[in-house]
Coordinates of all heavy atoms in Angstrom, one line a residue:
M1 N -18.7 5.3 -134.1 CA -18.9 6.6 -134.7 C -18.4 7.7 -133.7 O -18.6 7.6 -132.5 CB -20.3 6.8 -135.0 CG -20.6 8.1 -135.7 SD -22.4 8.4 -135.9 CE -22.4 9.0 -137.5
R2 N -17.6 8.7 -134.1 CA -17.2 9.8 -133.3 C -18.2 10.7 -132.8 O -19.2 11.0 -133.6 CB -16.2 10.6 -134.0 CG -14.8 9.9 -134.3 CD -13.9 10.7 -135.0 NE -13.2 11.6 -134.2 CZ -12.3 12.5 -134.5 NH1 -12.0 12.6 -135.7 NH2 -11.7 13.3 -133.7
K3 N -18.1 11.2 -131.6 CA -19.1 12.1 -131.1 C -18.7 13.5 -131.6 O -17.5 13.9 -131.6 CB -19.0 12.1 -129.5 CG -20.0 13.1 -128.8 CD -19.9 13.0 -127.3 CE -20.8 13.9 -126.7 NZ -20.7 14.0 -125.2
V4 N -19.8 14.2 -132.0 CA -19.5 15.6 -132.6 C -19.2 16.6 -131.4 O -20.0 16.6 -130.4 CB -20.7 16.0 -133.4 CG1 -20.4 17.4 -133.9 CG2 -20.8 15.0 -134.6
R5 N -18.3 17.3 -131.5 CA -17.9 18.4 -130.5 C -18.7 19.7 -130.8 O -18.7 20.1 -131.9 CB -16.4 18.7 -130.4 CG -15.6 17.5 -129.8 CD -14.2 17.9 -129.8 NE -13.9 18.9 -128.8 CZ -12.7 19.2 -128.4 NH1 -11.7 18.7 -129.0 NH2 -12.5 20.0 -127.5
D6 N -19.3 20.2 -129.7 CA -20.0 21.5 -129.9 C -18.9 22.7 -129.5 O -18.9 22.9 -128.3 CB -21.1 21.6 -129.0 CG -22.1 22.8 -129.2 OD1 -21.6 23.6 -130.0 OD2 -23.1 22.9 -128.6
Y7 N -18.2 23.0 -130.4 CA -17.1 24.1 -130.2 C -17.8 25.5 -129.7 O -17.1 26.0 -128.8 CB -16.3 24.4 -131.5 CG -15.5 23.3 -131.8 CD1 -15.7 22.5 -133.0 CD2 -14.4 22.9 -131.0 CE1 -15.0 21.5 -133.3 CE2 -13.5 21.8 -131.4 CZ -13.9 21.0 -132.6 OH -13.0 20.0 -133.0
D8 N -18.9 25.9 -130.1 CA -19.5 27.1 -129.6 C -19.9 26.9 -128.1 O -19.6 27.7 -127.4 CB -20.8 27.3 -130.4 CG -20.4 27.8 -131.8 OD1 -19.3 28.4 -132.0 OD2 -21.3 27.7 -132.7
A9 N -20.4 25.8 -127.7 CA -20.7 25.6 -126.3 C -19.5 25.5 -125.4 O -19.5 26.1 -124.3 CB -21.5 24.4 -126.1
E10 N -18.4 24.9 -126.0 CA -17.1 24.9 -125.2 C -16.5 26.3 -125.1 O -16.1 26.6 -124.0 CB -16.2 23.9 -125.9 CG -16.5 22.5 -125.8 CD -15.5 21.6 -126.5 OE1 -14.3 21.9 -126.5 OE2 -16.0 20.5 -126.9
L11 N -16.6 27.1 -126.2 CA -16.1 28.4 -126.0 C -16.9 29.3 -125.2 O -16.3 30.0 -124.4 CB -16.0 29.0 -127.4 CG -14.9 28.7 -128.3 CD1 -15.1 29.3 -129.7 CD2 -13.6 29.2 -127.7
K12 N -18.2 29.1 -125.1 CA -19.1 29.8 -124.2 C -18.8 29.3 -122.8 O -18.6 30.3 -121.8 CB -20.5 29.6 -124.5 CG -21.4 30.4 -123.7 CD -22.9 30.1 -124.0 CE -23.9 30.9 -123.2 NZ -23.6 31.1 -121.7
A13 N -18.5 28.1 -122.5 CA -18.3 27.7 -121.1 C -16.9 28.2 -120.7 O -16.8 28.6 -119.5 CB -18.3 26.2 -121.1
L14 N -16.0 28.2 -121.6 CA -14.6 28.9 -121.2 C -14.8 30.3 -120.9 O -14.1 30.8 -120.0 CB -13.6 28.5 -122.3 CG -13.1 27.1 -122.4 CD1 -12.1 26.9 -123.5 CD2 -12.3 26.7 -121.1
G15 N -15.5 30.9 -121.7 CA -15.8 32.4 -121.5 C -16.4 32.8 -120.2 O -16.1 33.7 -119.5
D16 N -17.5 31.9 -119.9 CA -18.1 32.2 -118.6 C -17.2 31.8 -117.4 O -17.2 32.5 -116.4 CB -19.3 31.2 -118.5 CG -20.4 31.4 -119.5 OD1 -20.4 32.5 -119.9 OD2 -21.3 30.6 -119.7
K17 N -16.3 30.9 -117.5 CA -15.5 30.5 -116.4 C -14.3 31.6 -116.3 O -14.1 32.0 -115.1 CB -14.8 29.2 -116.8 CG -13.8 28.7 -115.7 CD -13.2 27.3 -116.0 CE -12.3 26.8 -114.9 NZ -11.9 25.5 -115.1
A18 N -13.8 32.2 -117.3 CA -13.0 33.3 -117.4 C -13.6 34.5 -116.6 O -12.9 35.2 -115.8 CB -12.4 33.7 -118.7
R19 N -14.9 34.8 -117.0 CA -15.5 35.9 -116.3 C -15.8 35.7 -114.8 O -15.4 36.6 -114.0 CB -16.9 36.2 -117.0 CG -16.8 37.0 -118.4 CD -18.1 37.4 -118.9 NE -19.0 36.2 -119.4 CZ -18.6 35.8 -120.5 NH1 -17.8 36.2 -121.3 NH2 -19.4 34.8 -121.0
A20 N -16.0 34.5 -114.4 CA -16.3 34.2 -113.0 C -15.0 34.2 -112.3 O -14.9 34.8 -111.3 CB -16.8 32.7 -112.9
L21 N -13.8 33.8 -112.9 CA -12.6 34.0 -112.3 C -12.2 35.5 -112.1 O -11.6 35.8 -111.1 CB -11.4 33.2 -113.1 CG -11.6 31.7 -113.0 CD1 -10.5 31.1 -114.0 CD2 -11.3 31.2 -111.6
K22 N -12.5 36.2 -113.1 CA -12.1 37.7 -113.0 C -12.9 38.3 -111.9 O -12.5 39.1 -111.1 CB -12.4 38.4 -114.4 CG -11.9 39.8 -114.4 CD -12.1 40.4 -115.9 CE -11.6 41.8 -115.8 NZ -11.7 42.3 -117.1
V23 N -14.3 38.0 -111.9 CA -15.1 38.5 -110.8 C -14.6 38.2 -109.3 O -14.4 39.0 -108.4 CB -16.6 38.1 -110.9 CG1 -17.4 38.4 -109.7 CG2 -17.2 38.8 -112.1
K24 N -14.2 36.9 -109.3 CA -13.7 36.4 -108.0 C -12.4 37.1 -107.7 O -12.1 37.5 -106.4 CB -13.4 34.9 -108.0 CG -12.9 34.3 -106.8 CD -12.7 32.8 -106.9 CE -12.2 32.2 -105.6 NZ -12.0 30.7 -105.7
R25 N -11.5 37.4 -108.6 CA -10.3 38.1 -108.3 C -10.6 39.5 -107.9 O -9.9 40.0 -106.9 CB -9.3 38.1 -109.5 CG -8.1 38.9 -109.4 CD -6.9 38.1 -109.8 NE -5.7 39.0 -109.9 CZ -4.9 39.0 -109.0 NH1 -5.0 38.2 -107.9 NH2 -3.8 39.8 -109.1
V26 N -11.4 40.2 -108.4 CA -11.8 41.5 -108.1 C -12.4 41.5 -106.7 O -12.0 42.4 -105.9 CB -12.9 42.1 -109.1 CG1 -13.4 43.5 -108.6 CG2 -12.1 42.4 -110.4
E27 N -13.2 40.7 -106.4 CA -13.8 40.5 -105.0 C -12.6 40.2 -103.9 O -12.6 41.0 -102.8 CB -14.8 39.4 -105.0 CG -16.1 39.7 -105.6 CD -17.1 38.5 -105.7 OE1 -16.8 37.4 -105.1 OE2 -18.2 38.6 -106.2
Q28 N -11.7 39.4 -104.3 CA -10.5 39.1 -103.4 C -9.7 40.3 -103.3 O -9.2 40.7 -102.1 CB -9.7 37.9 -103.9 CG -10.4 36.7 -103.8 CD -9.7 35.5 -104.5 OE1 -8.7 35.8 -105.2 NE2 -10.0 34.3 -104.1
L29 N -9.5 41.2 -104.3 CA -8.7 42.4 -104.0 C -9.4 43.3 -103.3 O -8.9 44.0 -102.3 CB -8.4 43.0 -105.4 CG -7.4 42.2 -106.3 CD1 -7.3 42.6 -107.7 CD2 -6.0 42.2 -105.7
G30 N -10.8 43.4 -103.3 CA -11.5 44.3 -102.5 C -11.5 43.9 -101.0 O -11.3 44.7 -100.1
Q31 N -11.6 42.6 -100.8 CA -11.4 42.0 -99.5 C -10.0 42.3 -98.8 O -9.9 42.6 -97.7 CB -11.7 40.5 -99.5 CG -13.1 40.2 -99.7 CD -13.3 38.6 -99.9 OE1 -12.3 37.9 -100.1 NE2 -14.6 38.2 -100.0
L32 N -9.0 42.2 -99.7 CA -7.6 42.5 -99.3 C -7.5 43.9 -98.9 O -6.9 44.3 -97.8 CB -6.6 42.3 -100.4 CG -5.2 42.5 -100.1 CD1 -4.8 41.7 -98.9 CD2 -4.4 42.3 -101.3
V33 N -8.1 44.9 -99.5 CA -8.0 46.3 -99.3 C -8.7 46.5 -98.0 O -8.2 47.2 -97.0 CB -8.7 47.2 -100.5 CG1 -9.1 48.6 -100.0 CG2 -7.9 47.2 -101.7
A34 N -9.8 45.9 -97.8 CA -10.5 46.1 -96.5 C -9.8 45.5 -95.3 O -9.7 46.0 -94.2 CB -11.9 45.4 -96.6
A35 N -9.2 44.3 -95.6 CA -8.5 43.6 -94.5 C -7.3 44.3 -94.0 O -7.0 44.2 -92.8 CB -8.1 42.2 -94.9
T36 N -6.6 45.0 -95.0 CA -5.4 45.7 -94.6 C -5.7 47.0 -94.0 O -4.9 47.8 -93.5 CB -4.5 45.9 -95.8 OG1 -5.2 46.8 -96.8 CG2 -4.0 44.6 -96.3
G37 N -6.9 47.5 -94.0 CA -7.4 48.7 -93.5 C -7.2 49.9 -94.6 O -7.5 51.1 -94.2
A38 N -6.8 49.5 -95.7 CA -6.5 50.6 -96.8 C -7.9 51.2 -97.2 O -7.9 52.1 -97.9 CB -5.7 49.9 -97.9
D39 N -9.0 50.6 -96.8 CA -10.3 51.2 -97.3 C -10.5 52.5 -96.6 O -11.4 53.3 -97.0 CB -11.4 50.3 -97.1 CG -11.5 49.7 -95.6 OD1 -10.6 49.8 -94.9 OD2 -12.6 49.3 -95.3
A40 N -9.7 52.8 -95.6 CA -9.8 54.1 -94.9 C -9.2 55.3 -95.8 O -9.5 56.4 -95.4 CB -9.1 54.0 -93.5
L41 N -8.4 54.9 -96.7 CA -7.8 55.8 -97.6 C -8.8 56.2 -98.6 O -9.6 55.4 -99.0 CB -6.5 55.3 -98.2 CG -5.3 54.8 -97.3 CD1 -4.4 54.0 -98.2 CD2 -4.8 56.1 -96.6
D42 N -8.6 57.5 -99.2 CA -9.5 57.8 -100.3 C -8.9 57.2 -101.5 O -7.7 56.7 -101.6 CB -9.5 59.4 -100.5 CG -8.1 60.0 -100.8 OD1 -7.4 60.1 -99.8 OD2 -7.9 60.3 -102.0
A43 N -9.7 57.1 -102.5 CA -9.4 56.2 -103.7 C -8.2 56.8 -104.4 O -7.3 56.0 -104.9 CB -10.5 56.2 -104.7
E44 N -8.0 58.1 -104.5 CA -6.8 58.8 -105.1 C -5.5 58.4 -104.3 O -4.5 58.0 -105.0 CB -7.0 60.2 -105.3 CG -8.1 60.7 -106.1 CD -9.4 60.7 -105.4 OE1 -9.5 60.5 -104.3 OE2 -10.5 60.9 -106.2
T45 N -5.6 58.4 -103.1 CA -4.3 58.0 -102.3 C -4.0 56.6 -102.5 O -2.8 56.2 -102.7 CB -4.6 58.4 -100.8 OG1 -4.9 59.7 -100.7 CG2 -3.3 58.0 -100.0
L46 N -4.9 55.7 -102.4 CA -4.8 54.3 -102.6 C -4.2 54.1 -104.0 O -3.1 53.3 -104.2 CB -6.1 53.4 -102.3 CG -5.9 52.0 -102.5 CD1 -4.8 51.4 -101.5 CD2 -7.2 51.3 -102.2
A47 N -4.9 54.7 -105.0 CA -4.3 54.4 -106.3 C -2.9 55.0 -106.5 O -2.0 54.3 -107.0 CB -5.1 55.2 -107.3
G48 N -2.5 56.1 -105.9 CA -1.2 56.6 -105.9 C -0.2 55.7 -105.2 O 0.9 55.5 -105.8
V49 N -0.6 55.1 -104.2 CA 0.4 54.3 -103.5 C 0.6 53.0 -104.3 O 1.8 52.5 -104.5 CB -0.2 53.8 -102.0 CG1 0.6 52.6 -101.4 CG2 -0.2 55.0 -101.2
L50 N -0.4 52.4 -104.8 CA -0.4 51.2 -105.7 C 0.4 51.7 -107.0 O 1.3 50.8 -107.4 CB -1.7 50.6 -106.1 CG -2.4 50.0 -104.9 CD1 -3.9 49.7 -105.4 CD2 -1.7 48.9 -104.3
L51 N 0.3 52.8 -107.6 CA 1.1 53.0 -108.8 C 2.6 53.2 -108.4 O 3.4 52.9 -109.2 CB 0.6 54.3 -109.4 CG -0.9 54.2 -110.1 CD1 -1.4 55.5 -110.4 CD2 -0.6 53.3 -111.3
D52 N 2.8 54.0 -107.1 CA 4.2 53.9 -106.8 C 4.9 52.6 -106.7 O 6.1 52.3 -107.0 CB 4.4 54.7 -105.6 CG 4.4 56.3 -105.9 OD1 4.4 56.7 -107.0 OD2 4.4 57.1 -104.8
A53 N 4.1 51.7 -106.1 CA 4.6 50.3 -105.8 C 4.9 49.6 -107.2 O 5.9 49.0 -107.3 CB 3.6 49.5 -105.0
I54 N 4.0 49.8 -108.0 CA 4.2 49.1 -109.4 C 5.4 49.7 -110.2 O 6.1 49.0 -110.7 CB 2.9 49.3 -110.3 CG1 1.9 48.4 -109.6 CG2 3.2 48.9 -111.7 CD1 0.4 48.6 -110.2
G55 N 5.6 51.1 -110.1 CA 6.5 51.8 -110.8 C 8.0 51.7 -110.1 O 9.0 52.2 -110.6
S56 N 8.1 51.2 -108.9 CA 9.2 51.2 -108.0 C 10.3 50.3 -108.7 O 9.9 49.2 -109.1 CB 9.0 50.8 -106.7 OG 10.3 50.8 -105.9
K57 N 11.5 50.8 -108.9 CA 12.6 50.0 -109.4 C 13.3 49.4 -108.2 O 14.5 48.7 -108.4 CB 13.5 50.8 -110.4 CG 12.7 51.4 -111.6 CD 12.3 50.3 -112.5 CE 11.7 51.0 -113.8 NZ 10.5 50.5 -114.2
D58 N 13.2 49.9 -107.1 CA 13.9 49.6 -105.9 C 13.7 48.1 -105.4 O 12.6 47.8 -104.8 CB 13.7 50.6 -104.7 CG 14.6 50.3 -103.5 OD1 15.3 49.5 -103.5 OD2 14.5 51.2 -102.6
A59 N 14.5 47.2 -105.7 CA 14.3 45.7 -105.3 C 14.3 45.5 -103.9 O 13.5 44.8 -103.4 CB 15.4 44.9 -106.0
D60 N 15.1 46.4 -103.0 CA 15.1 46.3 -101.6 C 13.7 46.6 -101.0 O 13.1 46.0 -100.1 CB 16.1 47.1 -100.9 CG 17.6 46.5 -101.3 OD1 17.7 45.3 -101.6 OD2 18.5 47.4 -101.3
A61 N 13.1 47.7 -101.5 CA 11.8 48.2 -101.2 C 10.7 47.1 -101.4 O 9.9 46.8 -100.6 CB 11.4 49.6 -101.7
K62 N 10.8 46.5 -102.6 CA 9.8 45.5 -103.1 C 10.0 44.4 -102.2 O 9.0 43.7 -101.8 CB 10.1 45.1 -104.5 CG 9.6 46.2 -105.5 CD 9.6 45.7 -106.9 CE 9.1 46.9 -107.8 NZ 8.9 46.4 -109.3
E63 N 11.2 43.9 -101.9 CA 11.4 42.7 -100.9 C 10.8 43.0 -99.5 O 10.2 42.2 -98.9 CB 12.8 42.3 -100.9 CG 13.2 41.2 -100.0 CD 12.4 39.9 -100.2 OE1 12.0 39.7 -101.3 OE2 12.1 39.2 -99.2
A64 N 11.0 44.3 -99.1 CA 10.4 44.6 -97.8 C 8.9 44.6 -97.8 O 8.3 44.1 -96.9 CB 10.9 46.0 -97.4
W65 N 8.4 45.2 -98.9 CA 6.8 45.1 -99.0 C 6.4 43.6 -99.1 O 5.4 43.2 -98.5 CB 6.4 45.8 -100.2 CG 6.7 47.3 -100.3 CD1 6.9 48.0 -99.2 CD2 7.0 48.1 -101.5 NE1 7.1 49.3 -99.6 CE2 7.1 49.3 -101.0 CE3 6.8 47.7 -102.7 CZ2 7.3 50.4 -101.8 CZ3 7.1 48.9 -103.6 CH2 7.3 50.2 -103.1
R66 N 7.1 42.8 -99.8 CA 6.7 41.5 -99.9 C 6.8 40.7 -98.6 O 5.8 40.0 -98.2 CB 7.6 40.7 -100.9 CG 7.0 39.2 -101.2 CD 8.1 38.3 -101.6 NE 9.2 38.1 -100.6 CZ 8.9 37.4 -99.4 NH1 7.7 36.8 -99.2 NH2 9.9 37.1 -98.4
A67 N 7.7 41.0 -97.7 CA 7.9 40.4 -96.4 C 6.8 40.9 -95.6 O 6.3 40.1 -94.9 CB 9.3 40.6 -95.9
K68 N 6.5 42.1 -95.6 CA 5.3 42.7 -94.8 C 4.1 42.0 -95.2 O 3.2 41.7 -94.3 CB 5.2 44.3 -94.9 CG 6.2 45.0 -94.1 CD 6.0 46.5 -94.3 CE 7.0 47.3 -93.8 NZ 6.8 48.8 -93.9
G69 N 3.9 41.8 -96.6 CA 2.7 41.2 -96.9 C 2.6 39.7 -96.5 O 1.5 39.2 -96.1
A70 N 3.7 39.0 -96.6 CA 3.7 37.6 -96.2 C 3.4 37.6 -94.5 O 2.6 36.8 -94.2 CB 5.0 37.0 -96.5
A71 N 4.0 38.5 -93.9 CA 3.7 38.5 -92.5 C 2.3 38.8 -92.1 O 1.8 38.2 -91.2 CB 4.6 39.5 -91.7
F72 N 1.6 39.7 -92.9 CA 0.3 40.0 -92.8 C -0.6 38.8 -92.9 O -1.4 38.5 -92.2 CB -0.1 41.1 -93.7 CG -1.6 41.4 -93.8 CD1 -2.2 42.1 -92.8 CD2 -2.4 40.8 -94.8 CE1 -3.6 42.2 -92.9 CE2 -3.7 41.0 -94.9 CZ -4.3 41.8 -93.9
F73 N -0.3 38.0 -94.0 CA -1.2 36.8 -94.3 C -0.9 35.8 -93.2 O -1.8 35.0 -92.8 CB -0.8 36.3 -95.6 CG -1.5 37.1 -96.6 CD1 -0.8 37.9 -97.5 CD2 -2.9 37.2 -96.7 CE1 -1.4 38.6 -98.5 CE2 -3.6 37.9 -97.7 CZ -2.8 38.7 -98.7
Q74 N 0.3 35.7 -92.6 CA 0.6 34.7 -91.6 C -0.1 35.1 -90.3 O -0.7 34.2 -89.6 CB 2.1 34.6 -91.3 CG 2.9 33.9 -92.5 CD 4.4 33.8 -92.3 OE1 4.9 34.5 -91.4 NE2 5.1 33.2 -93.3
R75 N -0.2 36.4 -90.0 CA -0.8 36.8 -88.8 C -2.3 36.5 -89.0 O -3.1 36.2 -88.1 CB -0.8 38.4 -88.7 CG 0.6 38.6 -87.9 CD 0.5 40.2 -87.4 NE 0.0 41.1 -88.4 CZ 0.8 41.6 -89.4 NH1 2.0 41.4 -89.4 NH2 0.3 42.6 -90.2
R76 N -2.9 36.9 -90.1 CA -4.4 36.6 -90.5 C -4.7 35.1 -90.4 O -5.7 34.7 -89.9 CB -4.8 37.3 -91.9 CG -4.6 38.7 -92.0 CD -5.6 39.4 -91.5 NE -6.8 39.1 -92.0 CZ -8.0 39.6 -91.7 NH1 -8.0 40.4 -90.7 NH2 -9.1 39.2 -92.2
G77 N -3.8 34.2 -90.9 CA -4.0 32.8 -90.8 C -4.2 32.3 -89.3 O -5.0 31.5 -89.1
R78 N -3.4 32.9 -88.4 CA -3.4 32.4 -87.0 C -4.7 33.0 -86.3 O -5.0 32.4 -85.3 CB -2.2 32.9 -86.3 CG -0.9 32.1 -86.7 CD 0.1 32.5 -85.7 NE 0.7 33.7 -85.7 CZ 1.6 34.3 -86.3 NH1 2.3 33.5 -87.0 NH2 2.0 35.5 -86.2
K79 N -5.2 34.0 -86.8 CA -6.3 34.6 -86.2 C -7.7 33.9 -86.6 O -8.7 34.5 -86.4 CB -6.5 36.1 -86.5 CG -5.4 36.9 -85.8 CD -5.6 38.4 -86.2 CE -4.5 39.2 -85.4 NZ -4.6 40.6 -85.7
G80 N -7.6 32.9 -87.3 CA -8.9 32.1 -87.6 C -9.2 32.0 -89.0 O -10.3 32.0 -89.4
G81 N -8.1 31.9 -89.9 CA -8.2 31.7 -91.4 C -8.6 33.0 -92.1 O -9.3 32.8 -93.1
G82 N -8.2 34.1 -91.7 CA -8.4 35.3 -92.4 C -7.8 35.3 -93.7 O -8.5 35.7 -94.7
A83 N -6.6 34.8 -93.9 CA -6.0 34.8 -95.3 C -6.7 33.8 -96.1 O -7.0 34.1 -97.3 CB -4.5 34.3 -95.1
A84 N -7.3 32.7 -95.6 CA -8.0 31.8 -96.4 C -9.3 32.4 -97.0 O -9.8 32.3 -98.1 CB -8.4 30.5 -95.7
A85 N -9.9 33.3 -96.0 CA -11.1 34.0 -96.4 C -10.8 35.0 -97.5 O -11.7 35.3 -98.4 CB -11.8 34.7 -95.2
I86 N -9.6 35.7 -97.5 CA -9.5 36.5 -98.5 C -9.1 35.9 -99.8 O -9.6 36.3 -100.9 CB -8.2 37.5 -98.2 CG1 -8.6 38.3 -96.9 CG2 -7.8 38.3 -99.3 CD1 -7.4 39.1 -96.2
D87 N -8.2 34.9 -99.8 CA -7.7 34.3 -101.1 C -8.2 33.0 -101.4 O -8.4 32.6 -102.6 CB -6.2 34.2 -101.0 CG -5.5 35.3 -101.9 OD1 -6.1 35.8 -102.8 OD2 -4.4 35.5 -101.7
G88 N -8.5 32.1 -100.4 CA -9.0 30.8 -100.7 C -7.9 29.8 -100.8 O -8.2 28.6 -100.7
S89 N -6.6 30.2 -101.0 CA -5.5 29.3 -101.0 C -4.3 30.0 -100.6 O -4.1 31.1 -100.8 CB -5.3 28.8 -102.5 OG -4.9 29.6 -103.3
G90 N -3.4 29.2 -100.0 CA -2.1 29.7 -99.6 C -1.1 30.2 -100.6 O -0.5 31.0 -100.6
A91 N -1.3 29.5 -101.8 CA -0.4 29.8 -103.0 C -0.8 31.0 -103.7 O 0.1 31.7 -104.2 CB -0.6 28.6 -104.1
A92 N -2.0 31.6 -103.5 CA -2.4 32.8 -104.3 C -2.1 34.0 -103.6 O -2.3 35.1 -103.9 CB -3.8 32.7 -104.7
T93 N -1.7 33.8 -102.2 CA -1.6 35.0 -101.4 C -0.4 35.8 -101.7 O -0.4 37.0 -101.6 CB -1.5 34.7 -99.9 OG1 -0.5 33.8 -99.7 CG2 -2.8 34.0 -99.4
E94 N 0.8 35.2 -102.3 CA 1.9 36.1 -102.4 C 1.8 37.2 -103.5 O 2.2 38.2 -103.3 CB 3.1 35.1 -102.7 CG 3.6 34.5 -101.4 CD 4.8 33.7 -101.8 OE1 5.9 34.4 -101.6 OE2 4.8 32.5 -101.9
P95 N 1.2 36.8 -104.6 CA 1.1 38.0 -105.6 C 0.3 39.2 -105.0 O 0.7 40.2 -105.2 CB 0.3 37.4 -106.7 CG 0.7 35.8 -106.8 CD 0.7 35.7 -105.2
G96 N -0.7 39.0 -104.2 CA -1.6 40.0 -103.7 C -0.7 40.7 -102.6 O -0.8 41.9 -102.3
G97 N 0.1 39.9 -101.8 CA 1.0 40.4 -100.9 C 2.2 41.2 -101.3 O 2.6 42.1 -100.6
N98 N 2.5 41.1 -102.6 CA 3.6 41.8 -103.0 C 3.4 43.4 -103.0 O 4.2 44.0 -102.4 CB 4.0 41.5 -104.5 CG 4.8 40.2 -104.6 OD1 5.4 39.8 -103.7 ND2 5.0 39.7 -105.8
A99 N 2.5 43.8 -103.7 CA 2.2 45.2 -103.7 C 1.1 45.6 -102.8 O 1.3 46.6 -101.9 CB 1.9 45.7 -105.2
A100 N -0.1 45.1 -102.9 CA -1.1 45.5 -102.2 C -1.0 45.3 -100.6 O -1.4 46.2 -99.9 CB -2.5 44.8 -102.7
G101 N -0.6 44.1 -100.3 CA -0.5 43.8 -98.8 C 0.6 44.7 -98.2 O 0.4 45.2 -97.1
G102 N 1.7 44.8 -98.9 CA 2.9 45.6 -98.3 C 2.6 47.0 -98.4 O 2.8 47.8 -97.4
S103 N 1.9 47.6 -99.4 CA 1.5 48.9 -99.5 C 0.4 49.3 -98.5 O 0.5 50.5 -97.9 CB 0.9 49.3 -100.9 OG 2.0 49.1 -101.8
G104 N -0.5 48.5 -98.2 CA -1.5 48.7 -97.2 C -0.9 48.7 -95.9 O -1.3 49.7 -95.1
G105 N 0.0 47.9 -95.5 CA 0.6 48.0 -94.2 C 1.5 49.3 -94.0 O 1.6 49.9 -93.0
T106 N 2.2 49.7 -95.1 CA 2.9 50.9 -95.1 C 2.2 52.2 -95.0 O 2.5 53.1 -94.2 CB 3.8 51.1 -96.5 OG1 4.6 49.9 -96.6 CG2 4.7 52.3 -96.4
S107 N 0.9 52.3 -95.6 CA 0.1 53.4 -95.6 C -0.6 53.6 -94.2 O -1.1 54.7 -93.9 CB -1.0 53.3 -96.6 OG -1.8 52.1 -96.4
N108 N -0.6 52.6 -93.4 CA -1.2 52.8 -92.0 C -0.3 53.3 -91.0 O -0.6 53.7 -89.9 CB -1.7 51.4 -91.5 CG -3.0 51.0 -92.2 OD1 -3.6 51.8 -92.8 ND2 -3.2 49.5 -92.2
R109 N 0.9 53.6 -91.3 CA 1.9 54.3 -90.4 C 1.5 55.7 -90.3 O 1.3 56.5 -91.1 CB 3.3 53.9 -90.8 CG 3.6 52.6 -90.6 CD 4.9 52.3 -90.9 NE 5.4 50.9 -90.7 CZ 6.5 50.5 -90.6 NH1 7.6 51.3 -90.9 NH2 6.8 49.2 -90.4

């Protein structure tokens, strides 16, 4: 006899997992802002920098930001696992490094 599946319970479990992942991502982004020193900026300035980065069509600038972000995470990794504390995995660091990591490094100048 086949086991009856509880679709409602499965949907609830998937929803709970999705919410937990979203909360974890928000926490990681907050940690990234703090780790780059961008928490010293007021919210309006930080939002403006990020919006400019998102809206930028300049591929060279985006590549420069990506490189700065990658270098930031490599430096943090050598200082005792800082990048792992922010993201938890090396594969997930690049998307955060694209705009946020590069923008944070640029704003500190």
Side-chain angles (χ1 to χ4, degrees):
M1 184 184 227
R2 288 179 83 180
K3 182 177 178 182
V4 178
R5 289 180 68 176
D6 186 355
Y7 291 109
D8 290 334
E10 290 180 28
L11 279 173
K12 184 181 181 319
L14 286 173
D16 291 345
K17 185 174 182 178
R19 276 188 292 281
L21 289 172
K22 187 173 183 178
V23 166
K24 182 178 179 181
R25 175 134 172 96
V26 169
E27 288 174 2
Q28 289 173 341
L29 290 171
Q31 291 171 349
L32 179 62
V33 168
T36 60
D39 59 338
L41 299 172
D42 60 287
E44 292 83 6
T45 303
L46 181 59
V49 169
L50 292 172
L51 288 170
D52 277 352
I54 290 169
S56 176
K57 304 287 187 231
D58 186 359
D60 291 335
K62 286 184 177 185
E63 177 56 28
W65 295 333
R66 191 208 59 76
K68 283 183 183 180
F72 170 78
F73 284 112
Q74 288 174 354
R75 278 193 314 273
R76 297 283 299 175
R78 284 194 299 265
K79 290 182 181 178
I86 292 171
D87 254 341
S89 72
T93 58
E94 284 191 85
N98 271 348
S103 296
T106 305
S107 64
N108 286 339
R109 288 184 176 191

